[in-house]
Amino acid sequence: MMDKNSKILITGATGFIGTTLVRQLLADGYRLRCMSRSNPVFPPGFEGDPKDLWENPNCEHFQGDASDPDSIRKAVKGCRYIFHLAGYAKNYSKDPSIYKHINIDAMRNVFQTGKEEAVERIVWTSTIVTLGPTMPGEIGNEDTPRKTDKYFTEYEETKSIAEKEAFQWIKNGLPLVIVNPTRVYGPGQLSEGNALGRLIDDYDRGKMPFLPNRGINIGNYVLVDDVAKGHYLAMEKGRIGERYILGGENASLKEFFQIISKITGKKHFQIPMLVPGPLIFSYMQLYAAKIFGIYPRITPGWIRTFVADWTYSCDKAKKELGYSPASLEEGLAKTIDWLYKMRKAV
């Protein structure tokens, strides 16, 4: 059990998962140092009142950059535990080096400083994509070997490099537990970090009825509340040197959309598409981004990610951590209820 009198550092505290984790830890009486590169700003309709978090006497906001060694040294000072959630998962960057800068270099800074300051435990947020896509009919787990050395996106590549390095840090004595969230959705910021939340909202409004590869490919979908709780459990019960998949339910995109229709009671159009159509659209988006500076809605790498299977089990987390994720229908119902409340609030 974590000592409630000891301070916990959370990097990426204003992100989609980070904010939910902050809320859960504050509710249980923990003392937090919440690190982010800017002051927290939230849109209208954000889940809960941000002031409940950032003005809580147990929440110290620390403005800094985990990729800066001096900044992270100041942030870690006096902390006994670290949740390192900060990462760069955006769809696109004009400067691709930012993926390495945040996903690899910042991780090294956090790990090096954590080791120097002799923190008791670090939980690092990796991702399911480091494990690679699964074969048709296969259900992967933490021990499933990656079957390809090719990567769809800069995010997947840099997080995979970082995770390999993380295991070397473990061998050198770092008290590290790794968590690998799957496709995260739920109440919170409708930012790029919550791309699925935006997709749910768009689909319900009739804006994005497209099914790449006819929507047959399988993904694992998990509610953000459960991912945050999984981080919490990994800190308390996870075994040093292990990684835990924080997932929910496996479903195709077609099934995902069908559940939304069932919950809302609406009839939604679905437009099945073969792979070339979405790929052509994504290349056009990428071209516009490079030539005109228009941020792309999707890039070719992410289309290729969505037309592969990512079928995974979180049984290890259930068994060892007591992790208990909501069903996809339960999670989507909560998300849709929040979306409707948010629309009224705007």
Side-chain angles (χ1 to χ4, degrees):
M1 294 291 289
M2 290 184 286
D3 180 2
K4 291 189 177 181
N5 293 317
S6 298
K7 187 156 282 190
I8 302 167
L9 173 64
I10 302 178
T11 71
T14 57
F16 178 43
I17 299 171
T19 305
T20 306
L21 177 60
V22 167
R23 179 174 292 106
Q24 291 181 1
L25 291 170
L26 287 175
D28 282 350
Y30 287 98
R31 297 171 60 231
L32 311 180
R33 179 173 292 154
C34 297
M35 183 177 184
S36 66
R37 285 182 292 170
S38 59
N39 288 318
V41 177
F42 300 96
F46 181 76
E47 174 74 1
D49 185 350
K51 292 182 180 179
D52 291 344
L53 304 182
W54 310 110
E55 294 183 5
N56 187 303
N58 281 342
C59 181
E60 173 195 350
H61 182 249
F62 182 92
Q63 189 169 340
D65 186 348
S67 60
D68 173 40
D70 290 335
S71 184
I72 198 65
R73 262 193 294 272
K74 293 174 184 176
V76 172
K77 203 74 178 176
C79 293
R80 187 171 173 184
Y81 313 97
I82 301 173
F83 286 100
H84 179 41
L85 284 85
Y88 195 84
K90 289 190 175 182
N91 180 38
Y92 171 79
S93 172
K94 188 175 181 180
D95 178 10
S97 68
I98 194 170
Y99 290 95
K100 176 182 179 294
H101 191 55
I102 297 179
N103 294 336
I104 300 174
D105 297 341
M107 181 200 73
R108 288 173 182 159
N109 288 337
V110 172
F111 290 178
Q112 181 63 44
T113 308
K115 192 171 184 180
E116 290 171 358
E117 294 294 324
V119 298
E120 186 170 315
R121 180 170 293 212
I122 302 172
V123 171
W124 174 58
T125 310
S126 184
T127 166
I128 197 64
V129 297
T130 63
L131 293 166
T134 53
M135 300 298 290
E138 175 189 29
I139 300 177
N141 59 37
E142 290 84 353
D143 298 321
T144 301
R146 187 180 173 94
K147 296 175 176 62
T148 176
D149 58 358
K150 295 180 180 179
Y151 303 102
F152 296 123
T153 63
E154 289 90 349
Y155 173 69
E156 181 183 349
E157 181 174 12
T158 53
K159 291 295 279 190
S160 296
I161 292 169
E163 189 167 302
K164 289 176 185 176
E165 187 172 313
F167 281 108
Q168 292 302 313
W169 281 91
I170 290 166
K171 287 181 180 179
N172 291 327
L174 189 72
L176 179 67
V177 180
I178 300 170
V179 292
N180 299 72
T182 58
R183 294 179 181 173
V184 188
Y185 68 93
Q189 307 165 50
L190 281 182
S191 62
E192 196 164 348
N194 189 11
L196 281 174
R198 292 166 61 183
L199 179 65
I200 294 164
D201 189 43
D202 284 346
Y203 179 70
D204 186 55
R205 294 175 187 263
K207 294 181 180 179
M208 289 294 290
F210 304 106
L211 298 174
N213 200 27
R214 297 162 293 149
I216 65 172
N217 296 101
I218 308 294
N220 187 284
Y221 299 91
V222 61
L223 183 65
V224 66
D225 307 63
D226 295 327
V227 173
K229 184 63 176 178
H231 280 71
Y232 192 156
L233 292 168
M235 182 67 80
E236 292 196 318
K237 301 179 181 180
R239 287 185 290 142
I240 299 296
E242 294 294 323
R243 63 180 171 187
Y244 296 91
I245 293 172
L246 300 181
E249 191 172 322
N250 293 304
S252 68
L253 185 60
K254 184 177 180 67
E255 292 168 333
F256 186 83
F257 282 166
Q258 285 172 339
I259 294 172
I260 295 172
S261 297
K262 177 183 175 182
I263 292 166
T264 61
K266 296 179 182 178
K267 288 186 178 180
H268 296 92
F269 288 106
Q270 292 187 356
I271 304 175
M273 302 183 73
L274 298 177
V275 175
L279 266 179
I280 291 169
F281 174 75
S282 67
Y283 275 110
M284 291 171 62
Q285 290 274 298
L286 187 60
Y287 179 82
K290 291 181 176 179
I291 303 301
F292 304 110
I294 301 169
Y295 191 83
R297 189 177 183 95
I298 192 72
T299 54
W302 285 105
I303 290 292
R304 293 190 176 98
T305 298
F306 269 89
V307 296
D309 288 336
W310 302 84
T311 311
Y312 278 94
S313 165
C314 57
D315 285 350
K316 179 178 177 179
K318 289 178 179 178
K319 182 179 179 181
E320 296 190 15
L321 307 181
Y323 177 69
S324 181
S327 70
L328 185 53
E329 187 167 341
E330 290 170 335
L332 284 174
K334 180 173 182 177
T335 304
I336 290 165
D337 180 64
W338 165 74
L339 281 170
Y340 286 0
K341 289 177 181 176
M342 185 192 70
R343 290 176 193 174
K344 291 179 182 178
V346 175

